[in-house]
Amino acid sequence: MLEPCTLSAPRAGEVLVRLEACGICHTDLAAKDHELGTPMPAVLGHEGVGVIEAVGGEVLDFKPGDRVLMSFGSCGHCDRCQHGSPGYCRSAHLGFTGTRADGSSPITHNGQHITGHFFAQSSFATHAIASTVNMVPLPADLPAALMAPLACGVQTGMASVFIALNTQSHDSLAVFGCGTVGLAAIMAAKIIGCRQIVAFDLNEDRLALARELGATHAIAALDPTAKQQLKQLDGVSRALDCTGVPDVIKLAFNALKPQGVLACAGVSKPGSQLTLDLATLLYSGRSIRGTIEGDAVPRTFIPRMIQWYQQGLLPLEKLVTTFDFADINHAVAAMQAGTVIKPVLCMSPAPPATHQYRTAIT
C-alpha cells in the first residue's frame, strides 16, 4: 500500500534521491514473504533510478541535480569490498536487513521507524535516502525505466556470465530459468559469442524470446523429452541456474561436461537442500558455486552494460513492462503470474513540497 512517510536528512555518504523509476525484483518478493529475514513493515525496492536533491557530508562524487542509478548496498571499506567483492560485504545489514551500519533507518511512518534502507536505498518510494557507495552516474538521455533493471536483475545475469563463470567464446552455456536474470545471461553470452547458448524454461513464450535474444537451443521444461534433449547436447561447459529450485539445479549440474562449472544465482526457499552424487562431482571435475550479483562491482560493470545498450547490444525494452507507482500491487501480481518479465514502477515527476513522501509499505 502507498502511505506518506517521513525521511530524515541524508547522513555522511548518503544522498536524497527523487525517484523516477524502480524495478521490481524477485528478491523484493522473497523479502515480502519473510524468506530473507527482512524486518516488517518495510519499504523495499533496490533498482532505483532518480535525481539527487540533497547530499550529506563526505559526499564528493555526486551533487544535487545529478542523475543516478542505485545498485546494491555495501560498506566500501571492508576487506571484501576493497578486493572487488562488494556483493559479499561484511556489512550484511546493508542488504536484506535494511538498516544503516548503526542499525538505524531513515524512514519514519506514523512516528515509528520502519525498515527503510533495503539494499541501502528502499526505492519503492517517491524519494529515498541512499548510500553512494554503489551509485552510478546516469546520462540524462537514457530512459529511467530501462536503466533501472541494470541495478540488480540484468546485472546479476550478465555479470554471472562475464565474471562469476568467466565465460569465453569457445564455451557452451545453458541457462535454467528465463526471467530477467536468465534472459540477461543469454544476451551476455551472445555478446561474448558463445558457440552454443541453451535456454531452459517452463514458459514457451519465454523460450521464444530467449531464441530472439540469442539462444541457439530452447528446451521446454515440461517436455517429456527435456532430459534427453539436454543429454544430446553432449554437455555444456558453463551453466547458470536462475530458479533456486534444487531439482533444477541438479539437472543443470548433470548437464555439465567434465570440468564444467555451474553458478547458482536463484534465490532458494529457506531450508532448501541439494543432494549430489559425490562420485560424479569427484571424477568429472565439475564444480558448483553460488553468486551474488554475478560477483559484479557496480561502479565498473554497470557502465559496461550502459555502453552495450547504447551500442544496440542490450535490447532491454524486450524485458521491461512499465506500471504507474500506484499500480504496484498489479505489477507484483503480473510478475508472479508470469505475464510480464521485468515490471518497472514509474514515479510521478512532481516532487512534494515537504519531507512527507509516498512509499510502498510492505
Side-chain angles (χ1 to χ4, degrees):
M1 60 180 176
L2 299 188
E3 293 281 346
C5 287
T6 301
L7 288 179
S8 63
R11 294 182 179 179
E14 296 179 342
V15 295
L16 171 65
V17 178
R18 173 175 56 80
L19 272 298
E20 298 178 56
C22 184
I24 300 177
C25 178
H26 281 288
T27 302
D28 296 308
L29 305 189
K32 176 183 71 70
D33 293 337
H34 306 281
E35 295 176 5
L36 304 179
T38 306
M40 298 292 160
V43 177
L44 303 174
H46 61 283
E47 293 184 338
V49 169
V51 177
I52 294 175
E53 291 195 337
V55 301
E58 302 177 16
V59 175
L60 303 177
D61 297 338
F62 300 96
K63 63 184 185 304
D66 285 350
R67 193 169 188 242
V68 294
L69 186 153
M70 296 175 279
S71 192
F72 61 89
S74 65
C75 73
H77 54 73
C78 72
D79 57 335
R80 297 171 185 175
C81 288
Q82 289 294 309
H83 289 88
S85 299
Y88 307 94
C89 175
R90 292 186 181 277
S91 299
H93 52 268
L94 293 171
F96 302 148
T97 305
T99 66
R100 293 170 166 135
D102 64 0
S104 67
S105 168
I107 298 182
T108 302
H109 179 243
N110 292 333
Q112 299 294 320
H113 283 284
I114 63 174
T115 298
H117 208 55
F118 188 69
F119 278 59
Q121 55 179 284
S122 286
S123 289
F124 287 164
T126 59
H127 288 71
I129 297 293
S131 167
T132 62
V133 172
N134 285 325
M135 191 171 283
V136 178
L138 191 64
D141 62 336
L142 295 178
L146 298 187
M147 294 297 102
L150 300 183
C152 182
V154 172
Q155 175 172 243
T156 297
M158 299 199 79
S160 291
V161 175
F162 273 95
I163 303 174
L165 287 170
N166 190 28
T167 308
Q168 306 296 315
S169 59
H170 61 262
D171 283 314
S172 52
L173 171 74
V175 176
F176 292 78
C178 293
T180 300
V181 175
L183 292 172
I186 287 169
M187 290 190 283
K190 182 179 180 180
I191 291 171
I192 292 170
C194 292
R195 62 180 183 83
Q196 189 178 63
I197 306 171
V198 183
F200 186 95
D201 198 89
L202 293 164
N203 189 310
E204 294 283 359
D205 291 337
R206 300 281 177 95
L207 291 174
L209 179 56
R211 279 193 174 276
E212 184 180 342
L213 295 175
T216 59
H217 297 71
I219 300 176
L222 296 181
D223 188 322
T225 68
K227 291 185 178 180
Q228 184 61 33
Q229 291 181 62
L230 285 171
K231 288 182 179 179
Q232 290 173 350
L233 298 174
D234 196 28
V236 294
S237 56
R238 298 288 185 269
L240 177 66
D241 175 71
C242 307
T243 70
V245 178
D247 286 346
V248 178
I249 295 172
K250 188 172 183 179
L251 190 66
F253 179 79
N254 289 332
L256 292 172
K257 63 174 57 176
Q259 296 185 299
V261 183
L262 164 64
C264 297
V267 178
S268 300
K269 297 287 185 182
S272 297
Q273 301 290 318
L274 178 65
T275 302
L276 295 174
D277 183 336
L278 292 181
T280 301
L281 181 69
L282 174 64
Y283 296 117
S284 70
R286 299 169 183 167
S287 59
I288 180 171
R289 57 155 301 181
T291 181
I292 297 176
E293 299 284 347
D295 293 7
V297 178
R299 283 205 174 183
T300 58
F301 194 73
I302 288 175
R304 293 176 68 187
M305 293 190 290
I306 291 173
Q307 187 173 47
W308 290 323
Y309 171 78
Q310 292 171 324
Q311 294 171 343
L313 301 175
L314 198 56
L316 297 167
E317 66 278 1
K318 295 183 182 296
L319 307 183
V320 170
T321 302
T322 58
F323 295 82
D324 289 338
F325 183 30
D327 292 331
I328 183 172
N329 290 337
H330 180 203
V332 169
M335 184 178 187
Q336 291 176 318
T339 56
V340 303
I341 297 170
K342 169 57 75 170
V344 175
L345 304 173
C346 296
M347 286 63 174
S348 169
T354 70
H355 290 294
Q356 286 285 323
Y357 305 106
R358 295 180 77 201
T359 61
I361 299 178
T362 300

